[in-house]
Amino acid sequence: MVSVLNTIDTGHEDMIHCADVDYYGLRLATCSSDNSVKIFDIKSGAQTLAADLKGHRGPVWQVAWGHPRYGNVLASCSYDRKVIIWKEAGPGDWTRWYEYSNHDSSVNSVSWAPAEYGLILACGSSDAGTWDSKKIPNVHTIGCNTVSWCPATVPEPAFDQRPNKTNLAVKRLVTGGCDNAVKIWKEEGDRWEEEKRLELHSDWVRDVAWAPSVGMPRHQIASCSQDRRVVIWTSDDLVTWQPTVLNNFDDVVWNVSWSLTGNILGVSGGDNKVSLWKETNEGQWVCISEDTNTATAPASQQPSGGPNNFIPEQRTL
């Protein structure tokens, strides 16, 4: 059963669009339509404001922590077309480490690559492109809403007794956009090519999440949409993908997030609920927990105006 461990008064002056806990679960980063990013120390149930970062000039849609092997690094993206990478130079001393402002429209999503690939950030924007160190043009008609990386290692059974070795996979991304499509991209030399287009949603895709490959001999991607559905895409070979509709919800679904082991999926949306889902041995997805005591506006990528006043143009310049 989902239960509330702690409630944090962030002090944000407008809607919160994203909340992300760091690798060790000791810090929480939040971002808001008040143009700010805040970092809280949450160790042992504490909720101390560690930093209030000012640098964006528009609503901040998403924040994402980098892997700690590269230090304390946080990325943020905004309607102001900018991506900012913040780094902690010393205890409580956060600086603007890098700023990228060459997007042509709102930047809606940021996602760090698996640590094995290095410090690489992918960004999805309303200018229909996705960037890492280079631009992937025309990713989605109208715009790209979300991006997620494929795990760095090839999925293998947990009981595999072969000698331990690192088998890095080819770099892949999954994106979701305003064309109702989910797309898989593969790095080929010095460019990225569309490998697969997955179509089942009937409205904008709001979030995608590639499941971790811990002991799972297959790939799974979760996608959610304004069509109120969550779809699980499954593949054993990255060629053929089988879709399964997880559930039809009562409102727009904004976010999907996998557990660290990749066997539980968290879902949140405009119905003011957070639910956890797990696949049975028979391949059926069942809800194992649901919390209806969340805040009026879930910590998801909702535009200003609230869950019942969705205005698509607010995230398109």
Side-chain angles (χ1 to χ4, degrees):
M1 180 68 185
V2 175
S3 60
V4 178
L5 292 178
N6 199 3
T7 300
I8 297 175
D9 182 3
T10 64
H12 280 295
E13 298 175 358
D14 208 328
M15 181 177 293
I16 298 171
H17 296 289
C18 181
D20 193 35
V21 177
D22 73 355
Y23 183 86
Y24 296 112
L26 301 178
R27 286 175 171 175
L28 172 72
T30 61
C31 61
S32 166
S33 279
D34 65 8
N35 305 352
S36 73
V37 173
K38 296 190 178 187
I39 298 173
F40 298 87
D41 288 325
I42 56 173
K43 183 179 180 181
S44 302
Q47 45 179 296
T48 305
L49 179 63
D52 188 353
L53 307 178
K54 308 288 187 181
H56 289 290
R57 302 182 63 183
V60 187
W61 301 126
Q62 192 171 26
V63 287
W65 290 96
H67 194 279
R69 73 167 62 173
Y70 302 108
N72 293 325
V73 179
L74 181 73
S76 60
C77 63
S78 169
Y79 182 79
D80 65 4
R81 312 179 187 186
K82 291 194 298 185
V83 174
I84 298 178
I85 299 177
W86 311 86
K87 187 170 185 178
E88 189 177 31
D93 180 18
W94 287 85
T95 61
R96 196 183 315 190
W97 192 32
Y98 180 79
E99 179 176 311
Y100 185 86
S101 56
N102 287 340
H103 281 282
D104 298 324
S105 192
S106 171
V107 186
N108 304 321
S109 180
V110 285
S111 177
W112 290 102
E116 293 88 342
Y117 292 143
L119 197 62
I120 303 174
L121 183 71
C123 315
S125 79
S126 292
D127 60 15
T130 295
W131 296 71
D132 61 348
S133 58
K134 38 193 167 294
K135 184 177 182 179
I136 310 173
N138 303 316
V139 172
H140 292 277
T141 306
I142 304 178
C144 176
N145 294 325
T146 176
V147 57
S148 176
W149 286 84
C150 173
T153 54
V154 177
E156 295 178 349
F159 51 80
D160 195 332
Q161 298 298 312
R162 289 177 297 177
N164 186 25
K165 61 180 179 180
T166 301
N167 189 11
L168 290 182
V170 174
K171 292 191 186 79
R172 285 182 172 86
L173 294 166
V174 59
T175 61
C178 302
D179 54 4
N180 310 344
V182 173
K183 294 184 179 182
I184 297 173
W185 303 84
K186 178 181 178 181
E187 186 180 45
E188 292 283 359
D190 61 350
R191 66 184 187 279
W192 288 81
E193 295 184 352
E194 181 179 325
E195 184 177 44
K196 198 71 176 180
R197 181 186 179 101
L198 308 177
E199 295 181 298
L200 189 61
H201 289 294
S202 58
D203 208 332
W204 287 15
V205 177
R206 277 298 171 182
D207 199 15
V208 292
W210 204 309
S213 61
V214 182
M216 299 294 289
R218 60 178 179 174
H219 288 273
Q220 284 188 310
I221 295 171
S223 62
C224 65
S225 167
Q226 288 174 214
D227 66 8
R228 307 183 180 188
R229 294 188 296 174
V230 171
V231 178
I232 307 296
W233 308 87
T234 304
S235 176
D236 295 324
D237 56 9
L238 291 168
V239 176
T240 303
W241 291 84
Q242 179 64 40
T244 300
V245 176
L246 179 83
N247 190 44
N248 289 292
F249 293 84
D250 295 329
D251 210 324
V252 175
V253 186
W254 292 102
N255 289 101
V256 286
S257 179
W258 292 99
S259 65
L260 292 177
T261 53
N263 64 334
I264 296 176
L265 182 71
V267 179
S268 66
D271 59 3
N272 198 30
K273 296 179 182 179
V274 174
S275 56
L276 301 181
W277 299 78
K278 187 173 184 178
E279 188 178 16
T280 66
N281 293 334
E282 293 73 32
Q284 301 297 315
W285 286 87
V286 295
C287 181
I288 59 174
S289 189
E290 184 174 81
D291 177 30
T292 60
N293 296 316
T294 50
T296 300
S300 56
Q301 293 180 340
Q302 297 178 4
S304 298
N308 298 317
N309 295 287
F310 175 65
I311 306 173
E313 290 75 15
Q314 286 192 292
R315 296 191 63 179
T316 304
L317 287 177

